[in-house]
Amino acid sequence: MSELLVAQLLTALALGLLGGGHCIGMCGGLMGALTMAIPPEQRRGWPLWRLLLAYNAGRIASYTLAGALIGSLGWALHGAGLDVLLRGIAGLIMIAMGLYLANWWSGLTRIEGVGRGLWRHIEPHARRLLPVQRPRQALLLGALWGWLPCGLVYSTLIWSSSHGDAVTSALLMLAFGLGTLPTLLATGAAAERLTALLRRRSLRVSAALLVILFGIWTLPGPHQKWLMQHLSLPSQSHQSHP
């Protein structure tokens, strides 16, 4: 696994983790419904965790599938010689996500309208699965709910698919989905502490600046050549002086 891919996977994981507040807004009500479907005496322990894990497994599976499907389109565009355009889109999306994470700009939420037509057909099937009382129901519900229009998911999907490889895109969406797990699985006091940590201004701004810098580096241009030359100098010097 290349160092660049590792950096991309860590970025996707961080996007999912830091976007947890948005995830609570989109899926928090449904997670509450899953909890309330269990008898009061069983709302702790394994019965609850089985439903929560099954739901999130289905949701993350949908993210991964979407990454593979849209990544195939990115691969086709790469084959058509549009790789420079895709890198530009990826860089701009990364910058926009950094601005979103720092709460400096929320324009990403506007792309949620793209999937509302599809969601209109999926939502009735998802609603029929409520109340959820078995892990199989929760798994299917999560798989359907994973297609809920979400600006953060869509932007991550566009970024991941711009790499022009279906497998890479799927892996990045898998990492993003895993990043959302801590927030959606946490309950009670643990959820309050985690949410408070993720809302710390210093943490969000630091992470946002790293994402923005990564986006700037991704943009095609002479700055890439300059960076690569400076990064390769130590290795070249080492080779010339054994």
Side-chain angles (χ1 to χ4, degrees):
M1 186 179 292
S2 68
E3 293 181 359
L4 179 58
L5 179 56
V6 171
Q8 291 168 342
L9 290 171
L10 291 175
T11 300
L13 193 70
L15 289 172
L17 179 61
L18 294 171
H22 186 75
C23 292
I24 289 176
M26 301 296 286
C27 298
L30 183 59
M31 299 296 284
L34 288 176
T35 303
M36 295 303 294
I38 304 175
E41 66 275 6
Q42 297 181 3
R43 285 180 191 165
R44 293 184 180 181
W46 184 233
L48 172 61
W49 282 102
R50 286 179 65 190
L51 292 185
L52 295 180
L53 290 172
Y55 166 78
N56 284 285
R59 180 178 58 86
I60 295 172
S62 289
Y63 293 168
T64 307
L65 175 60
L69 292 175
I70 306 300
S72 299
L73 176 60
W75 173 81
L77 293 175
H78 261 269
L82 298 176
D83 49 314
V84 175
L85 174 62
L86 290 175
R87 285 188 66 89
I89 293 173
L92 292 175
I93 287 292
M94 289 295 294
I95 293 171
M97 285 193 287
L99 295 174
Y100 171 82
L101 291 177
N103 293 321
W104 291 332
W105 184 67
S106 58
L108 286 178
T109 57
R110 297 173 187 170
I111 67 174
E112 292 176 0
V114 175
R116 284 176 185 158
L118 175 63
W119 179 242
R120 212 172 285 124
H121 299 285
I122 295 177
E123 183 181 18
H125 299 286
R127 294 289 179 186
R128 291 192 192 102
L129 293 169
L130 295 173
V132 175
Q133 296 180 338
R134 294 188 299 274
R136 186 182 303 176
Q137 281 179 283
L139 180 68
L140 183 55
L141 180 64
L144 293 175
W145 213 263
W147 300 95
L148 176 73
C150 173
L152 183 61
V153 174
Y154 284 179
S155 56
T156 308
L157 186 60
I158 295 170
W159 166 67
S160 66
S161 64
S162 66
H163 294 82
D165 180 80
V167 175
T168 299
S169 180
L171 287 174
L172 291 175
M173 290 307 296
L174 173 62
F176 168 79
L178 292 175
T180 65
L181 270 181
T183 306
L184 289 178
L185 286 179
T187 57
E192 293 177 4
R193 286 195 294 267
L194 180 59
T195 301
L197 174 64
L198 295 177
R199 286 179 177 171
R200 284 188 180 178
R201 184 70 179 165
S202 58
L203 175 63
R204 296 188 69 85
V205 170
S206 299
L209 289 175
L210 288 175
V211 172
I212 290 172
L213 288 174
F214 191 44
I216 293 173
W217 181 87
T218 302
L219 288 171
H223 63 289
Q224 282 193 336
K225 185 177 180 180
W226 182 86
L227 284 171
M228 293 305 293
Q229 285 177 344
H230 282 71
L231 289 173
S232 62
L233 281 177
S235 60
Q236 290 176 356
S237 175
H238 180 75
Q239 290 176 359
S240 60
H241 297 86

